[in-house]
Amino acid sequence: MSPYGSDRSPRRPMRRKLLQALTAGAVLATATGCSFNWKSFPRLGMPTPVTEEAPRILSLWQGSWAAALITGILVWGLIMWSVIFHRRSRTKVEVPPQTRYNMPIEALYTVVPLIIVSVLFYFTARDESKLLSLSAKPAHTINVIGFQWSWGFNYIENVDGDAASPKAGEVPKELASIPDRFTKDFPAGAEGVYQKGVPGDRNADTNNPGPTLYLPKGEKVRFILSSNDVIHSFWVVPFLFKQDVIPGHTNVFEVTPTQEGTFMGKCAELCGVDHSRMLFNVKVVSPEEYRAHLKELAEKGQTGFLPAGIKQTDPARNAETNKL
């Protein structure tokens, strides 16, 4: 006789607990989602892109989540199918038949993961190649220098309008650690201006900590990354992109800002005790305001360049090629 009496099934308490658990889960999900922004849901946690290149990264992110969701649904479905249709109370079998080998299933769980990884690898390699490609002559070149515990920005620009000074092909000694394949693309007459930050700097618009890097909207900017001490990482959050800043190695990438505003940036590589203070801001402005800012730095006496990177021998500096 059933311990619950003739009118009750022993499975009913389990069903009741399952229903209670599902109800509690629904309440928690709705309670924590009161501030959920449905407009941001398609981005799956990513901020709004502010460069021409960022939507490609967002698309890769969304595709990866879609692939993970499809895989998850398949796996969860198989698990639930096994739980429901192969439970002991349904089959009344104490020990079901044991299968040692099942070649179709073994082939399936070997081939399917290989296909998933291969597809993800293809799209990642395709997008990475596109994102790291360099134009022949970028409109602007900025050398970003990471150091403990802030950032420096060398604006490699012809601020005074005199293309004859410095001479073509003449590289300032402060930028001597940058490989020749990048210095050859410096604009003519780029005497440059700079800004050196400290952790105590504040942005005038947002009061966020760190120095502020100015960028022109709608114009391609090449970033040349160098470090004066340890490995850092240059990360502008709404660029959806970050790249390591490595001593003795020069990383380069290009972006074209599409939206004016002030955005947060930070070091994304644990670089020491005050890593958390290595914050900065990126202010995207009109090209006219960008040029006015460069002239303002020149008027403050911040002409020339900050030392970019550690010293290297010439063979070491030019050891890598464009193909690497």
Side-chain angles (χ1 to χ4, degrees), residues 35-61:
S35 61
F36 183 78
N37 184 0
W38 284 102
K39 292 182 179 180
S40 65
F41 178 73
R43 297 198 304 273
L44 300 171
M46 284 287 197
T48 302
V50 297
T51 68
E52 288 184 1
E53 295 76 15
R56 178 180 290 272
I57 302 173
L58 179 60
S59 177
L60 182 63
W61 172 257

Side-chain angles (χ1 to χ4, degrees), residues 6-19:
S6 60
D7 61 337
R8 297 183 63 189
S9 168
R11 292 194 293 271
R12 285 184 179 177
M14 181 61 69
R15 290 175 179 174
R16 188 179 299 113
K17 290 179 181 179
L18 179 60
L19 180 60

Side-chain angles (χ1 to χ4, degrees), residues 123-169:
F123 285 107
T124 301
R126 182 200 65 179
D127 291 346
E128 181 181 13
S129 177
K130 184 66 176 179
L131 291 167
L132 295 180
S133 63
L134 301 178
S135 59
K137 283 287 183 181
H140 306 279
T141 301
I142 298 176
N143 172 219
V144 176
I145 306 162
F147 57 89
Q148 298 171 317
W149 306 101
S150 192
W151 300 89
F153 309 119
N154 284 327
Y155 296 90
I156 307 174
E157 302 272 9
N158 181 8
V159 181
D160 61 7
D162 183 5
S165 176
K167 296 179 180 179

Side-chain angles (χ1 to χ4, degrees), residues 96-113:
Q98 304 298 297
T99 302
R100 172 172 290 187
Y101 299 110
N102 189 310
M103 290 305 295
I105 292 180
E106 291 183 10
L108 179 68
Y109 67 61
T110 301
V111 172
V112 170

Side-chain angles (χ1 to χ4, degrees), residues 272-290:
V273 65
D274 280 339
H275 159 72
S276 62
R277 302 182 68 194
M278 286 199 62
L279 306 174
F280 64 97
N281 304 275
V282 171
K283 186 171 183 177
V284 179
V285 296
S286 66
E288 296 75 19
E289 190 174 348
Y290 173 75

